[in-house]
Amino acid sequence: MRPASTIVNGLASALRPHAPFAAMSDADVERVIRYARLRYFASGEAILQPGSEPSAHCFIIKQGSVRGEQPGTQGETVALWELSTGEMFPLGGLLANRGVTSVYRAAEDTFCLMLPVAEFHALVADSPPFHDFCTRRLSYLLDLSRARLQADYAADATAQFGMATQLSALIRSAPVTVPPTATLASALAMMEGQRIGSLPVVDGNGHPLGVFTRQDVIGRIVLPGRELSSAVGAVMSSPAISLAEDATAGDAATLMAQRGIRHVIVTDSGGRVAGVVSERDLFSLHRLSVREVASALRRAPDIGTLVQVAADIRSLSHALVAQGVGSGPLTRMISSLNDQLTVRAIDLIAPGYDLDGFELCWLGMGSEGRSEQTIATDQDNGLLFVANDAALTDVAVRERLAPFASEVNQALDRCGYPLCKGEVMAMNPKWCLSLTEWRATFTRWIDRGDPTSLLAANIFFDFRALWGQGRLARILRDEIARIAQANSRFLKQMSDNARTNRPPLSWRGEIAATEDDSGVDGVDLKRVGSMPITDAARIFALASGVKETGTIERLREAGARKGIAADDTESWCDAFDYLQMLRLRAQHQRAAGEIAPSNTPNFVPLDSLSALDRRVLKEALRQVRKLQQRLALDYP
């Protein structure tokens, strides 16, 4: 008998806020209600128990909560997870046509809609949203979260990159200026060498007197036949048209339109020239692209310019989220641009040092080695060298490289990549080693397997060549991969270590928040989220001979070699993808002052998460726990 319309409407209203019912058609939601029957389960009552027969119903929790239980090693009952209002079970058993493997018990007074299994399978076949959710639950929730995230970013993208932007944020490099007595020849040579279109003319205190531009060359030099030995002050446009650095891009655009000019001089609080903003800079506000940033990196004439481009990389990451780019491609893109910035910094610094007599390779470690950098990342790097002269000792090479490495590390720090608190940097003599020394260091870590060695392995085993002789890094990786794969004790120790950072889920399966240094409740998304996945992927890769350094690539390739079910692998990849995106969003929000400052850049306050994000985070953390359980099975 068809239920009354008031009942249908009431139950539909209860289901609509939850996935996948929010995306299903009215007819399909009504179909669920029409064929399901509502049943009450008292607190503590077993709803499903392990057995050979598959469940005859799909259960949809209308009110209350359901706990999953299994017997522990001592005969006690162990709570594994908890499902809440709007969630369905047992999806895995229904899709595989098998019995459940856990006890499903009402954690409180609970009402469930019980949909007959035949109607469940019919809906899976007929309703795309229902099918997507049931067959790829985490991916489906991740898609919903990503779509909402994209909308949020797109909504404020215009504000962030629009005409309200202060001019100080548009200055790309340190100002290049000349005195009025400079010759036209020297001024033109400077403009060509620096590849700039305008040149402020300043007095002895750095205050602007006028400006000389490329547009002045024909009308003021070529046609009048003026000698290049003439002073630039004789042909400059004067007085200088300028704005303070706290003026906006909109102010500059208005001034350019009113005065018919293409450049505005920007002055600091003391009235000195801080830089120049061009018409092109204003037009590029809404079209900052990877290509443009990469081009700016290649052309950067000095470290000061790289500092500005590094800020562009962080701004670009915000724009790419607004365009719907996922965390995997996004962090690889950020890492690629950071690689190019590092390479350009080294190219600018290297000519000032004597680097002859040895082959050299700059190594990226940690998240940079995995191409998984976010916008809040410190430095993890090292140097690998091989002397070409037998008389040149490793100590002598290290002493020659020390000032070079230090200048590079300091330059990267200026660009917004802080010096590593653990001193894992090339300027530390411990991490500026010959190929022989690196080989001995890795072998020692593998042989010992003590806590210090395991900590080092988590950073250094992800190394990748960034600059110099990449073949040296490949030689080293081939050798240590072979040694690690053959040492089962070391892999067991790494597995034990990787399981120490447990996902923060309570016995009820809810997120168990911790306090950060300021007393805010939340979750360290790196320490208890993405890091355990990265650690497990590293172990799988070492155990199966996979030489990839990226977490997703390691999981997929090593998972296939180890015979892990593809569904499990993809769920772990989805969880990692979501955790990375949530980390990036928290970093953006903290940089914009939208969430409280924290000494932990990957800490996200729980009260900053929507109901959907909490649900996806809980599911992602369940996958982290499942991955750690797989490690425990492989290395008991």
Side-chain angles (χ1 to χ4, degrees), residues 441-456:
T441 299
F442 275 107
T443 301
R444 184 171 64 253
W445 288 334
I446 294 170
D447 287 342
R448 287 182 178 177
D450 56 73
T452 301
S453 299
L454 294 174
L455 178 63

Side-chain angles (χ1 to χ4, degrees), residues 283-296:
F283 286 148
S284 68
L285 275 175
H286 292 285
R287 54 183 179 84
L288 187 65
S289 70
V290 175
R291 181 185 59 79
E292 289 169 337
V293 173
S295 176

Side-chain angles (χ1 to χ4, degrees), residues 163-382:
M163 290 293 126
T165 305
Q166 289 192 347
L167 296 183
S168 57
L170 300 182
I171 298 173
R172 301 294 183 208
S173 60
V176 179
T177 62
V178 294
T181 55
T183 64
L184 290 174
S186 64
L188 290 169
M190 186 177 295
M191 293 172 71
E192 181 64 21
Q194 298 287 340
R195 297 183 180 179
I196 54 178
S198 63
L199 192 62
V201 182
V202 300
D203 62 17
N205 295 318
H207 298 131
L209 299 173
V211 64
F212 177 62
T213 69
R214 289 184 181 272
Q215 284 71 36
D216 297 329
V217 174
I218 295 177
R220 300 187 182 190
I221 300 176
V222 176
L223 294 179
R226 191 180 293 272
E227 296 291 335
L228 293 182
S229 58
S230 303
V232 71
V235 299
M236 69 181 183
S237 298
S238 180
I241 300 175
S242 63
L243 286 171
E245 58 186 353
D246 60 356
T248 67
D251 297 331
T254 300
L255 187 60
M256 289 180 187
Q258 290 173 342
R259 305 296 292 269
I261 57 177
R262 298 183 180 180
H263 300 84
V264 170
I265 295 174
V266 182
T267 57
D268 62 18
S269 58
R272 295 175 294 273
V273 174
V276 176
V277 169
S278 69
E279 187 179 47
R280 181 178 180 183
D281 292 329
L282 300 184
F283 286 148
S284 68
L285 275 175
H286 292 285
R287 54 183 179 84
L288 187 65
S289 70
V290 175
R291 181 185 59 79
E292 289 169 337
V293 173
S295 176
L297 287 172
R298 290 191 297 271
R299 293 184 287 105
D302 51 41
I303 300 300
T305 303
L306 287 181
V307 172
Q308 297 297 325
V309 181
D312 283 345
I313 294 174
R314 289 184 278 276
S315 296
L316 178 62
S317 70
H318 192 287
L320 291 175
V321 175
Q323 295 169 27
V325 177
S327 68
L330 182 57
T331 53
R332 284 193 294 272
M333 208 171 297
I334 294 173
S335 296
S336 174
L337 292 172
N338 289 345
D339 289 353
Q340 294 175 58
L341 185 145
T342 300
V343 168
R344 184 56 181 158
I346 297 174
D347 284 340
L348 290 170
I349 293 169
Y353 295 90
D354 177 14
L355 301 180
D356 293 332
F358 45 82
E359 294 180 274
L360 193 59
C361 180
W362 186 279
L363 300 174
M365 313 281 192
S367 62
E368 186 172 21
R370 298 190 301 273
S371 296
E372 292 167 0
Q373 286 180 300
T374 57
I375 62 170
T377 181
D378 61 1
Q379 296 184 51
D380 287 317
N381 48 57

Side-chain angles (χ1 to χ4, degrees), residues 342 346 361-366 368 377-385 398 401-414 416-433 438 445 459-460 466:
T342 300
I346 297 174
C361 180
W362 186 279
L363 300 174
M365 313 281 192
E368 186 172 21
T377 181
D378 61 1
Q379 296 184 51
D380 287 317
N381 48 57
L383 273 171
L384 164 61
F385 61 83
R398 208 165 6 257
L401 287 174
F404 159 70
S406 179
E407 185 172 350
V408 174
N409 286 141
Q410 296 294 340
L412 294 176
D413 182 53
R414 283 183 59 194
Y417 307 100
L419 299 176
C420 176
K421 294 179 181 178
E423 298 186 339
V424 180
M425 293 175 291
M427 68 182 189
N428 185 343
K430 290 174 60 177
W431 313 126
C432 177
L433 304 175
W438 274 116
W445 288 334
I459 300 172
F460 290 90
L466 298 185

Side-chain angles (χ1 to χ4, degrees), residues 31 35 55-58 94 115-125:
R31 181 175 171 184
Y35 286 102
S55 172
H57 297 89
C58 170
L94 291 173
L115 182 68
V117 66
E119 293 304 323
F120 167 82
H121 286 295
L123 268 176
V124 169

Side-chain angles (χ1 to χ4, degrees), residues 39-203:
R39 179 174 169 183
Y40 164 77
F41 296 93
S43 179
E45 182 179 352
I47 301 172
L48 290 174
Q49 299 195 56
S52 57
E53 293 297 320
S55 172
H57 297 89
C58 170
F59 293 79
I60 306 166
I61 302 174
K62 177 185 178 295
Q63 180 182 322
S65 57
V66 174
R67 184 171 61 242
E69 300 175 348
Q70 282 187 347
T73 55
Q74 305 300 321
E76 75 282 11
T77 298
V78 178
L80 299 176
W81 35 256
E82 185 166 303
L83 304 176
S84 55
T85 303
E87 297 193 77
M88 297 187 288
F89 65 93
L91 296 181
L94 291 173
L95 293 171
N97 194 33
R98 59 168 172 76
V100 298
T101 56
S102 303
V103 175
Y104 289 75
R105 190 182 305 278
E108 56 184 309
D109 288 347
T110 298
F111 290 87
C112 290
L113 286 169
M114 297 172 56
L115 182 68
V117 66
E119 293 304 323
F120 167 82
H121 286 295
L123 268 176
V124 169
D126 297 341
S127 171
F130 193 79
H131 175 275
D132 282 353
F133 181 84
C134 294
T135 56
R136 54 183 199 98
R137 176 181 176 182
L138 180 55
S139 294
Y140 182 89
L141 292 172
L142 184 59
D143 288 344
L144 290 179
S145 177
R146 188 183 294 122
R148 183 171 296 178
L149 178 65
Q150 180 184 351
D152 291 343
Y153 270 65
D156 68 359
T158 300
Q160 179 165 348
F161 303 109
M163 290 293 126
T165 305
Q166 289 192 347
L167 296 183
S168 57
L170 300 182
I171 298 173
R172 301 294 183 208
S173 60
V176 179
T177 62
V178 294
T181 55
T183 64
L184 290 174
S186 64
L188 290 169
M190 186 177 295
M191 293 172 71
E192 181 64 21
Q194 298 287 340
R195 297 183 180 179
I196 54 178
S198 63
L199 192 62
V201 182
V202 300
D203 62 17

